[in-house]
Structures are given as C-alpha cells and as structure tokens.
C-alpha cells in the first residue's frame, strides 16, 4: 500500500490553525480562483490603495496571507509586526537566497517577469546568509560608516543649493521631479566616487529602472558601465570613497561583487531617500501648524522623518525570504522553498503595536521601514542624513514655501513594492539672488570623457529586444489624511 501526499493548498486551513468563519475565502480551498483580485499584488486595488488592500487581507487571513504575484506565482505576504520580525531575524528558517524558491527550481518564472529584477540571485550580501553574508556585509558597512555627517552635510548643502538655484527665480516648483528625485543621486555619486557630471544622467537612468519602461534594460546597462569605468579609475587613483573602500577591503571582494554592491547601494539609496523626502515634504506642507512648531524648535526634522517612516515607509513590501524547510509562521504552514514578502507598511500598521494610528510616534524608531536582523539596511543613516539636511536647506532657503494645489489633488503612482507621489507642486517668493555653490577642488569631477550632462542619453542595446511596456498604473486619489494625532500633540504641548 502506498501513500500519496495531497497537493499543497495554501488556501486550505492548516493543522493547528484557527478555523476561519463561514464565508471566509480560506474555506474556498482548491476552488479558490487564481485570478481573485483580493489575492493579487498586481491589480488596481492593490496598487491604488495598498493600505486598504493590506487591511482586507489581515481581516481575512491574520498575520500571514497567501497572495499571488504577476504570472500567478504564489507567495506569502507577512502582515503582522511580530511575524515580520521573526522572518527578518531567523535566517536559519527564512533565508535570503532566492535560489531556494520552488518556482525558480521548477521553471515557472518567466524570463520577462516583473518580479525577476528584484529577486534574481546576485553576488551581494542581500542574497546570502551566514559567513558569506558577514564577509560581504562587513565590507559594505565599513565602507558606508567611513562617511561622517559633517562631510555629507557639505555635499547635500551644495547640491540642494544648486537645485534650488535652478528653480528659485520662478516662484514655483514641483518638489518631486525638481528636488526629491535628484538630490539623493547627486549626493550618492560623490560618496561612491563618481564624476559629478554623471549625476544628472544617473538620475534619469535610475528613474527609468524603477518605472520598468521598455528602456529599463538599457538604463541598467548604463548604470553598470558607469560604475565599471569608475572602478577602473579608482584602481589607479584611490580616494576616500565607497568604490576605493570596497576594492581595498580585507574581505577581498571580487570584481563582480564590488560592482553589484555598488549598483545596489546606488539604486536603493536613491529610491528610498527620494520617497522619504517627498513624503516628509508633503507632511510639512499639508499641516501649517506642524510647520510652525518645526521652525519654532518644539519638534525636529528627525521627529518628522520617524513619523513618515511609520506611516509611509519608502518600500511598502520587500521580497523576500525563502523557507529553508517546512515551518510555521503566523498560524500558516510554510513549505520549504516558499517565498515570503515582508509587509513593512502592513507591519507598521499592525493593531497589535499601533491600536490607534492617530497617536504620534515621534522619536520612536522601532518601525520596520529599514528592516531588522542581519539584513537590516546598512545605509539607513546616510539616507536619513540626506533627507534631513536637504529638507532643512530647502525650508531655510524658501521659508514661505506653500503647497500650490489642494491636498485632495495630490496623486500617487503605485506598483507592487512602493508608491510614489507623482508631483508636489509648491509656490514661494522668487529668490533671484540664490546662487549654487561652486564645487571645491576636492569635489570637482576629474577629467573623464563623457557626453554633455544636458544630453541625457541611455545607450541602446542592439542585441536586446525589451518586452512591451507595462500598462500605466492607475492614478490613485489621496486617501483621507490621518490628522488626529496633531490635535492630541498640540493639546499635550498646551497649545
């Protein structure tokens, strides 16, 4: 007599788990439609109102919910704060090595899958565990920790002044496209050790990559080639920069390991910090009382950043972790090779840790925005320093900066991992006297032959035929803003 194990069904009640009430989608078992919009991370509801989408899943499934990615690929979305910490802090159960994914091993991931760019294995500390992770991460953290805040503030001040001088005479600005999307990359090129004229072109390439357009492949090639050229120069002319530190580190990184870590740092720092700047400026400009108390010293910019990192983390979810063996998390039976998506925004809103979302969390850094455990973001302090200094400079130079449209007119562009303000229009008194700071001798770009920075051009790849561009995501109206915490805070201050 032989025993055949039944096919695993993530929608069926698991042994020992609480039995869902009648009518709950968990009762649908194997008959659950694969195209169910409630379970798809690639759909109008999930992308237009991610917070509402997560709460529906939490109500249906609890801390861990079954979801489907593009191409009907199954995954688990971790919604609970505690469950997220467990997945982040126990690499023995939940590995970062994406090669463990069952869908990869069984050949079910299409070559043009939109999830592939962020989960395909790379020789970086983000995709390994154990001793190899320690070797690679030590090189990255040592390299990033070599930058002091004072030196970074000089870079941020100079580039913020340049950007402000570019639009300061007009009295109007889109703070997303003319400030937040440019400042982080301009600063990071200096920390990495790239020529200054690379900055504007890398901004365009990075934005193209994030949007997943038909030229995203060519944009990636441009970023990689720019880094390769910088590495070649730094081998001959070392400097106090990240490229030199990775090349010379005692961890003995290979050429490809140096290149891939530089690419990851450059793109991740730009994306997360741009979002952080945009969302913080939105909060500052949509509550005049907050602005008043910020300038009066009763609150600080770090306080504002912490509140934004709780309410609007730069990445809403992060793939991922892969189960090293059969295990359990949040009442769900997880099979070896299953993929977990870390729900950072959902975990931050978990009623178990935030029963009242209107309560302010200034000074509380226990949010999940930068992860936790061995893979916690190594560059978080650099991102915070760029955002904090850049916003401080902007508000100092343009003290009467005001939103020029109604708050209800703001829109976001969403995808399965994050959402971005499409624009943040503002007005101010023109400042014709503003002039950008000239680069010093130590920060001036070395003589390297590059196309003029004004002509942003991403080189085409003649042997590559990109997939059709994805359909434009829906433009989401701003949900009702949670402002009850402000009234409570003012009451505590006696205002």
């Amino acid at each position: 007599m032989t025993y055949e194990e039944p096919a695993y069904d993530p929608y069926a009640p698991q042994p020992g788990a609480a039995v869902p009430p009648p009518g709950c989608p968990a009762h649908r078992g194997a008959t659950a439609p694969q195209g169910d919009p409630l379970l798809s991370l690639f759909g109008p509801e999930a992308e237009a109102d991610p917070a509402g989408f997560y709460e529906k899943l939490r109500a249906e499934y609890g801390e861990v919910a079954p979801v489907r990615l593009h191409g009907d690929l199954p995954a688990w979305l971790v919604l609970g704060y505690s469950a997220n910490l467990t997945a982040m802090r126990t690499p023995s159960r939940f590995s970062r090595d994406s090669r463990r994914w069952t869908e990869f091993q069984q050949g079910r991931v299409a070559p043009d899958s939109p999830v592939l760019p962020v989960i395909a294995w790379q020789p970086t500390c983000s995709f390994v565990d154990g001793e190899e992770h320690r070797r690679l991460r030590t090189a990255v953290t040592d390299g990033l920790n070599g930058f002091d805040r004072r030196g970074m503030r000089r870079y941020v001040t100079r580039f913020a002044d340049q950007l402000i001088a570019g639009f300061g005479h007009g009295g109007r600005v889109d703070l997303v496209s003319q400030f937040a999307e440019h400042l982080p990359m301009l600063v990071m090129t200096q920390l990495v050790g790239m020529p200054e004229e690379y900055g504007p072109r890398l901004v365009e390439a990075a934005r193209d990559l994030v949007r997943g357009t038909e030229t995203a492949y060519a944009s990636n090639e441009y970023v990689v080639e720019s880094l390769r050229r910088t590495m070649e120069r730094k081998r001959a002319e070392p400097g106090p920069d990240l490229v030199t530190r990775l090349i010379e580190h005692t961890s003995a990184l290979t050429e490809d390991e140096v290149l891939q870590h530089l690419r990851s740092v450059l793109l991740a720092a730009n994306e997360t910090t741009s979002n952080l700047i945009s969302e913080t400026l939105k909060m500052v400009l949509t509550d005049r009382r907050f602005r008043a108390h910020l300038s009066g010293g009763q609150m600080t910019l770090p306080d504002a950043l912490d509140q934004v990192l709780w309410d609007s983390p730069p990445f809403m979810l992060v793939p991922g972790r892969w189960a090293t063996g059969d295990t359990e998390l949040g009442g769900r039976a997880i099979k070896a090779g299953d993929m977990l998506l870390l729900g950072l925004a959902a975990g931050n809103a978990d009623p178990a840790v935030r029963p009242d979302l209107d309560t302010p969390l200034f000074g509380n850094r226990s949010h999940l925005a930068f992860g936790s455990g061995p893979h916690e973001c190594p560059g978080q302090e650099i991102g915070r320093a760029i955002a904090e200094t850049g916003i401080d400079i902007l508000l100092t130079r343009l003290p009467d900066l005001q939103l020029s449209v109604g708050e209800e007119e703001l829109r976001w562009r969403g995808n399965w991992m994050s959402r971005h303000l499409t624009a943040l229009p503002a007005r101010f008194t023109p400042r014709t006297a503003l002039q950008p700071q000239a680069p010093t001798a130590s920060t001036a770009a070395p003589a390297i032959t590059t196309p003029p920075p004004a002509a942003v051009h991403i080189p085409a790849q003649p042997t590559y035929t990109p997939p059709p561009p994805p359909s434009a995501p829906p433009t989401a109206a701003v949900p009702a803003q949670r402002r009850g915490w402000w009234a409570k805070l003012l009451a505590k201050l006696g205002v």
Side-chain angles (χ1 to χ4, degrees):
M1 180 176 180
T2 60
Y3 171 76
E4 182 177 350
E5 182 177 355
Y8 175 60
D9 178 9
Y11 301 98
Q14 304 302 324
V19 177
C24 174
H27 278 301
R28 289 176 291 194
T31 62
Q34 294 183 338
D36 187 339
L38 175 61
L39 305 175
S40 175
L41 288 181
F42 284 78
E45 181 177 12
E47 295 177 359
D49 182 16
F53 174 74
Y54 300 149
E55 290 312 307
K56 285 184 179 180
L57 286 176
R58 197 194 309 276
E60 297 279 5
Y61 297 102
E63 285 193 287
V64 179
V67 293
R68 295 196 177 275
L69 300 172
H70 192 277
D72 205 31
L73 300 172
W76 297 100
L77 176 58
V78 186
L79 302 165
Y81 182 89
S82 177
N84 268 288
L85 289 180
T86 299
M88 294 173 186
R89 294 176 176 177
T90 53
S92 60
R93 293 171 58 196
F94 304 105
S95 171
R96 277 294 284 134
D97 190 339
S98 62
R99 293 172 295 187
R100 294 176 178 270
W101 194 18
T102 302
E103 304 304 305
F104 267 152
Q105 295 176 358
Q106 298 184 358
R108 290 198 288 262
V109 184
D112 61 347
S113 170
V115 306
L116 201 57
V118 291
I119 63 171
W121 189 89
Q122 301 170 29
T124 68
C125 61
S126 297
F127 286 91
V128 294
D129 299 298
E131 188 56 41
E132 184 67 357
H133 172 258
R134 283 188 287 273
R135 178 181 75 87
L136 297 173
R137 185 178 172 94
T138 298
V140 174
T141 54
D142 287 351
L144 294 175
N145 290 341
F147 301 111
D148 64 274
R149 276 214 167 207
R150 183 177 300 176
M152 286 184 54
R153 184 177 177 86
R154 287 196 296 269
Y155 284 131
V156 179
T157 300
R158 178 158 62 86
F159 288 118
D161 279 342
Q162 287 182 8
L163 293 171
I164 295 169
F167 58 72
H169 63 281
R172 290 187 175 272
V173 60
D174 172 15
L175 292 170
V176 173
S177 65
Q178 293 179 265
F179 189 78
E181 288 186 341
H182 286 264
L183 183 61
M185 182 64 81
L186 294 173
V187 175
M188 288 305 300
T189 55
Q190 298 302 289
L191 300 185
V192 168
M194 305 179 83
E196 186 171 319
E197 62 263 28
Y198 280 25
R201 304 178 68 225
L202 284 169
V203 168
E204 297 301 321
R207 290 167 66 185
D208 193 53
L209 274 170
V210 171
R211 291 172 181 170
T213 68
E214 67 273 14
T215 57
Y217 178 88
S219 296
N220 180 68
E221 290 300 295
Y222 172 72
V223 171
V224 169
E225 181 57 29
S226 299
L227 289 170
R228 279 204 180 99
R229 293 164 64 184
T230 302
M231 289 168 58
E232 291 172 4
R233 179 168 57 83
K234 289 299 177 179
R235 290 188 185 279
E237 304 173 12
D241 49 69
L242 185 58
V243 172
T244 300
R245 291 169 186 165
L246 291 184
I247 290 174
E248 297 180 348
H249 199 271
T250 55
S251 293
L253 272 63
T254 66
E255 187 90 0
D256 195 34
E257 287 171 345
V258 172
L259 177 64
Q260 294 301 332
H261 279 96
L262 290 170
R263 176 185 175 277
S264 296
V265 168
L266 199 65
L267 296 178
N270 180 70
E271 173 70 4
T272 57
T273 311
S274 293
N275 278 358
L276 182 55
I277 292 174
S278 296
E279 290 291 337
T280 305
L281 284 173
K282 193 269 296 183
M283 187 172 75
V284 170
L285 295 182
T286 54
D287 197 313
R288 293 172 296 175
R289 294 168 296 181
F290 178 87
R291 178 74 167 274
H293 284 270
L294 185 66
S295 61
Q298 292 165 292
M299 301 172 198
T300 66
L301 271 175
D303 288 338
L305 295 181
D306 287 326
Q307 189 68 46
V308 169
L309 289 168
W310 273 103
D311 291 339
S312 304
F315 282 111
M316 296 180 299
L317 64 84
V318 175
R321 297 292 191 274
W322 287 268
T324 60
D326 292 356
T327 186
E328 181 273 340
L329 184 68
R332 296 286 166 183
I334 310 296
K335 292 291 186 180
D338 281 2
M339 179 167 70
L340 273 63
L341 306 174
L342 304 179
L344 308 183
N348 280 351
D350 187 343
V353 294
R354 293 183 70 187
D356 182 3
L357 292 179
D358 291 335
T359 300
L361 292 165
F362 294 156
N364 186 335
R365 292 195 177 186
S366 58
H367 53 73
L368 302 176
F370 296 119
S372 184
H375 290 279
E376 184 174 359
C377 175
Q380 57 185 279
E381 291 305 318
I382 288 180
R384 288 184 66 109
I386 294 173
E388 180 184 330
T389 304
I391 294 172
D392 184 35
I393 296 299
L394 179 71
L395 298 180
T396 300
R397 301 288 188 268
L398 306 175
D400 61 345
L401 195 67
Q402 299 178 50
L403 195 66
S404 60
V405 298
E407 185 179 350
E408 69 282 355
E409 297 181 47
L410 298 179
R411 297 290 183 269
W412 277 264
R413 180 180 67 252
N415 59 47
W416 68 295
M417 288 178 59
S418 63
R419 66 199 297 255
H420 316 259
L421 267 173
T422 58
L424 189 61
R427 63 178 183 273
F428 55 90
T429 302
R431 302 292 198 275
T432 55
L434 288 175
Q435 294 296 329
Q437 297 180 23
T440 62
S442 61
T443 58
I448 289 185
T449 303
T450 58
V456 178
H457 171 68
I458 307 298
Q461 302 297 309
T463 59
Y464 173 75
T465 303
S471 58
T475 300
V478 179
Q481 300 297 309
R482 302 177 301 174
R483 303 172 79 172
W485 61 268
W486 183 256
K488 297 178 183 178
L489 188 58
L490 291 180
K492 290 181 180 179
L493 293 172
V495 177

